[in-house]
Amino acid sequence: MSSGFILWYLAFRDYLESHEEAREQYGKLKEALAEQFPHDIDGYMDGKDDFIKGRNVLQ
């Protein structure tokens, strides 16, 4: 795991901790994706992609 990914991951975590609405949306998205893709981790991960990439957490 690269240090760049770790920095991004920590920034995303901090973003969710400080943005309640985004945290709730992300939680609901993950629940819906878990139901939609119970045996497809790639589908689950792909489903989170737009939400995650839509946040500029490293600014």
Side-chain angles (χ1 to χ4, degrees):
M1 205 176 292
S2 74
S3 61
F5 175 77
I6 293 170
L7 291 175
W8 173 87
Y9 181 85
L10 293 174
F12 186 69
R13 178 205 61 190
D14 293 346
Y15 170 82
L16 290 177
E17 285 181 354
S18 63
H19 293 83
E20 182 178 357
E21 184 177 343
R23 182 174 59 245
E24 289 175 4
Q25 290 172 346
Y26 188 57
K28 288 177 183 177
L29 173 63
K30 290 176 61 170
E31 288 176 5
L33 291 169
E35 287 182 24
Q36 185 178 356
F37 301 105
H39 305 290
D40 180 5
I41 189 64
D42 291 327
Y44 174 82
M45 298 296 286
D46 289 345
K48 297 188 316 179
D49 204 41
D50 286 342
F51 183 93
I52 292 170
K53 289 181 177 177
R55 307 304 188 263
N56 294 320
V57 298
L58 290 177
Q59 292 187 5

